[in-house]
Amino acid sequence: AAVAPFATSLNTLNNGLLIRAGGDEKVYVSHNNKKRLISNNQILNSYGYSWDNVLVLSKSMIEVISLNNIIRLSETEKVYALNDFGYKRHIPNQKVFNSYDLKAIDIADINQTEFASYPESNLIQLVGGNEIYMTTGNSKKKVGLTENIQNLGYNPNAIHIVNETD
């Protein structure tokens, strides 16, 4: 396998290919030439994957593959974004989806075991801002500032950075 920060016919990854960097135990599954972390053996087994099928690539190859952070529970309609820490947040509508230049082909349909492994979060922060809000439906309520969020009992890893449209 060969990978690069851009896709060509010579460096695409098949959907469902299991990959990891040599010397690293983190296993990823490919979807539309992107990677999504398989965070535990239960998820690996729920798909019928085997450790014997994991392709070992160089660390530099793994690093240039962008993250697949758009998911949907198989046979449902709701689409979710994953932040860098694995917290999911529902994307409320097509306008918001489009505002991030997302593509439907990047939505990975996942099983219930994997879907349940991602905790849901309704904490948002405007890109470049320092105020944290909690969303409920179409409304938001200010929770506090980034530097105080942990003192207020919230996990800073649960925050999703959002754009103005969102």
Side-chain angles (χ1 to χ4, degrees), residues 143-164:
V143 175
L145 300 176
T146 306
E147 56 270 14
N148 299 332
I149 200 72
Q150 199 162 4
N151 295 338
L152 296 170
Y154 297 100
N155 183 344
N157 293 340
I159 299 168
H160 281 256
I161 307 300
V162 300
N163 64 22
E164 192 67 44

Side-chain angles (χ1 to χ4, degrees), residues 111-135:
N111 68 20
Q112 179 62 44
T113 303
E114 183 177 0
F115 186 79
S117 75
Y118 300 116
E120 194 152 357
S121 176
N122 59 352
L123 296 176
I124 61 170
Q125 177 181 0
L126 182 63
V127 64
N130 72 338
E131 295 176 332
I132 307 299
Y133 296 88
M134 181 177 291
T135 61

